[in-house]
Amino acid sequence: MHAELTAKIMDRSAVIGIVGLGYVGLPLMLRFSEEGFKVLGFDIDESKVEALNAGQSYIEHIPGGKIAEARQTGFAATTDFSRAAEVDVLILCVPTPLDKHREPDLSFVLNTTDALVPYLRTGQLLSLESTTFPGTTEEELRPRVESRGFTVGEDFFLVFSPEREDPGNPDFTTRTIPKVCGGVTKTCLDVGVTLYSTVIDKVVPVSSTQAAELTKLLENIHRAVNIGLVNEMKIVADKMGIDIHEVIRAAATKPFGFVPYYPGPGLGGHCIPIDPFYLSWKAREYGVNTRFIELAGEINSSMPDYVIGKVTAALNAQQKAINGSKVLVLGIAYKRNVDDMRESPSVAIMEKLTELGASVAYSDPHVPVFPKLRDHAHFDLASEALTPQTIAGYDCLLLATDHDDFDYAALKQHARLIVDTRGRYLEPADNIVKS
Ligand SMILES: NC(=O)c1ccc[n+]([C@@H]2O[C@H](COP(=O)([O-])OP(=O)(O)OC[C@H]3O[C@@H](n4cnc5c(N)ncnc54)[C@H](O)[C@@H]3O)[C@@H](O)[C@H]2O)c1
């Protein structure tokens, strides 16, 4: 049965189903479309499905024109999961957040799988791409698939292949980022590698779905821990009157054995603040405490308070209090040059400033209107235009995300005070405080 599916993949007659058409699912859909596959997209969000079927995009760095092109080569989106029977391959790209106890929330993955199971048929490949703890594919997905009477590895194929993306980074595309894949059986892996090799330049097979799951977590834990380390170094350096950014730049000239990571106002995005805790949770089942992860989490999540302390001290030096001050937060997306607000530390900082009595506004060229966010206060705000007058009208500009579109010279020239959390201003100036 795998020979039949392999042949359909090779001659591009296989129909690809992508479930969850977000930051991960949409670029993948485009990539399969570019290679001549017919793609059927599944999502529970009616408004996204409507927009896509009208050839429009809802993600800033994905042009609408590309969606329209994919529509012409057979792409369609639907909320009707019974259509899963029409596809040969199903790729799950649904969210894997943490719940309010900061434990893995697999409900999106499990609900989606449960919705698909009645329509699965023999000869299909199911690939999970959502970041998750080792064992999810084997312990959660496999029994659900087998509940249909299928034999995984013989008449149904199951793999885990984690997504890697660096949104907003033009140096890497879906095609050029190597992709790891692990199968439940050797045959599953072979089919998975065949599939991804049609759209990705380099596919990296690993021996199991668990190894593939842990690979993704290791990558993100590596980042979280190293960012925690530089955030701690920043506090030490600041106390010693040393600029941590100067030190990192100097250390990065070492041609081996050092990788630069940069401090900031806290972790953001859908991955780094969340994924490490998927492993911490699973490790407890094995009686292991993941101390590096916990420590990095503690340091990184204390950064918004550190920034507030810096703003307080900087205003105090000008005989002002946070209470009653006008503060403009520059950059509310979680990182430079993107529009993604998920887990953005800017939001926690805006909430804290507001609680302390500041009058808070923001400016972000990528986020024209403050969006509705889960688990956060809503700010009924739109992005402020930056003119010399508006810049000078604030007691403090808090540089939280250093988008390239900001005019840093103009900000420095007109601001009464800038608190810089990103090391954008290396030269000391009377109106700039590093944070
Ligand atoms: N964004 C990234 O850069 C990135 C990178 C690597 C891995 N990941 C991982 O990929 C997964 C998806 O992340 P994302 O950033 O694409 O999320 P997203 O929120 O952008 O997209 C998820 C999509 O799934 C849809 N959805 C939710 N529940 C669904 C369901 N039950 N059935 C079908 N569709 C459903 C949502 O409407 C949304 O369109 C997560 O596990 C994430 O950790 C994300």
Side-chain angles (χ1 to χ4, degrees):
M1 206 151 234
H2 76 277
E4 206 178 303
L5 178 56
T6 301
K8 283 175 107 175
I9 292 170
M10 297 303 285
D11 71 12
R12 309 290 194 265
S13 63
V15 180
I16 312 295
I18 308 255
V19 188
L21 299 165
Y23 282 84
V24 168
L26 263 193
L28 200 62
M29 173 286 277
L30 290 176
R31 190 61 206 112
F32 277 104
S33 285
E34 277 164 22
E35 283 300 321
F37 286 96
K38 186 175 168 202
V39 185
L40 185 57
F42 297 85
D43 206 291
I44 51 171
D45 186 334
E46 295 265 2
S47 62
K48 286 186 179 169
V49 166
E50 266 172 41
L52 291 171
N53 284 335
Q56 292 158 7
S57 170
Y58 41 77
I59 295 181
E60 192 188 36
H61 64 272
I62 299 179
K66 290 214 164 193
I67 309 285
E69 256 172 52
R71 284 287 286 142
Q72 277 167 10
T73 55
F75 164 66
T78 180
T79 55
D80 177 3
F81 280 52
S82 72
R83 296 189 62 191
E86 294 172 26
V87 305
D88 299 288
V89 172
L90 277 163
I91 302 180
L92 305 191
C93 312
V94 294
T96 42
L98 294 174
D99 68 15
K100 63 179 179 191
H101 304 295
R102 299 200 64 74
E103 293 188 346
D105 174 5
L106 270 195
S107 62
F108 296 89
V109 171
L110 300 185
N111 291 344
T112 310
T113 309
D114 288 337
L116 293 168
V117 160
Y119 310 105
L120 298 182
R121 55 172 177 77
T122 55
Q124 285 177 319
L125 166 68
L126 176 63
S127 173
L128 177 62
E129 293 216 4
S130 306
T131 307
T132 184
F133 52 80
T136 307
T137 310
E138 184 68 42
E139 294 161 19
E140 300 289 348
L141 264 55
R142 183 177 186 170
R144 283 171 164 79
V145 167
E146 290 184 337
S147 71
R148 289 291 312 279
F150 304 151
T151 308
V152 171
E154 286 180 21
D155 57 8
F156 197 94
F157 309 100
L158 185 56
V159 297
F160 181 81
S161 181
E163 171 61 16
R164 284 171 170 160
E165 223 211 324
D166 190 9
N169 183 340
D171 298 339
F172 302 103
T173 62
T174 307
R175 184 170 73 77
T176 59
I177 300 172
K179 196 152 174 44
V180 171
C181 185
V184 168
T185 68
K186 174 75 174 65
T187 310
C188 292
L189 175 63
D190 290 345
V191 180
V193 170
T194 304
L195 173 77
Y196 284 115
S197 298
T198 60
V199 289
I200 310 277
D201 288 348
K202 183 173 182 197
V203 180
V204 182
V206 292
S207 64
S208 64
T209 53
Q210 291 90 335
E213 288 157 339
L214 187 54
T215 301
K216 173 71 189 178
L217 291 183
L218 175 64
E219 292 165 13
N220 286 355
I221 290 164
H222 167 95
R223 282 188 67 74
V225 168
N226 280 287
I227 293 168
L229 176 67
V230 287
N231 277 330
E232 187 173 76
M233 288 298 128
K234 168 179 79 170
I235 297 171
V236 178
D238 183 64
K239 287 274 183 209
M240 295 177 169
I242 302 167
D243 183 338
I244 188 67
H245 291 276
E246 182 189 1
V247 173
I248 295 168
R249 284 179 177 93
T253 61
K254 184 179 176 183
F256 48 84
F258 182 84
V259 178
Y261 285 86
Y262 299 95
L267 289 182
H270 187 34
C271 298
I272 313 295
I274 292 172
D275 302 348
F277 296 100
Y278 268 67
L279 188 67
S280 301
W281 179 84
K282 188 67 176 174
R284 288 203 285 276
E285 192 180 309
Y286 294 82
V288 182
N289 288 327
T290 53
R291 286 175 291 168
F292 270 108
I293 294 174
E294 299 297 340
L295 182 58
E298 198 184 307
I299 294 171
N300 290 329
S301 63
S302 72
M303 281 302 120
D305 282 327
Y306 178 78
V307 171
I308 297 288
K310 283 286 181 184
V311 173
T312 309
L315 285 169
N316 189 55
Q318 299 190 351
Q319 295 178 318
K320 290 178 189 168
I322 285 192
N323 197 346
S325 285
K326 288 177 72 185
V327 180
L328 181 72
V329 177
L330 295 170
I332 60 168
Y334 84 89
K335 72 168 185 175
R336 189 190 296 169
N337 303 339
V338 302
D339 63 344
D340 192 343
M341 290 282 296
R342 290 178 294 177
E343 306 289 321
S344 173
S346 302
V347 180
I349 290 172
M350 287 172 74
E351 285 172 348
K352 286 172 193 284
L353 288 169
T354 306
E355 274 166 33
L356 292 169
S359 158
V360 178
Y362 85 91
S363 183
D364 191 317
H366 298 275
V367 189
V369 176
F370 195 98
K372 290 214 174 347
L373 298 170
R374 264 189 310 163
D375 306 330
H376 280 289
H378 182 65
F379 289 91
D380 197 8
L381 294 173
S383 176
E384 295 290 324
L386 295 174
T387 64
Q389 292 74 24
T390 54
I391 294 169
Y394 289 94
D395 297 296
C396 176
L397 305 191
L398 173 52
L399 179 56
T401 299
D402 54 339
H403 294 306
D404 288 343
D405 285 351
F406 289 131
D407 181 344
Y408 290 94
L411 290 169
K412 184 176 171 185
Q413 189 186 345
H414 300 291
R416 294 188 221 167
L417 169 66
I418 299 177
V419 174
D420 176 9
T421 71
R422 296 286 183 175
R424 193 79 196 200
Y425 293 101
L426 266 190
E427 295 299 317
D430 286 347
N431 63 343
I432 294 176
V433 168
K434 292 167 182 170
S435 171

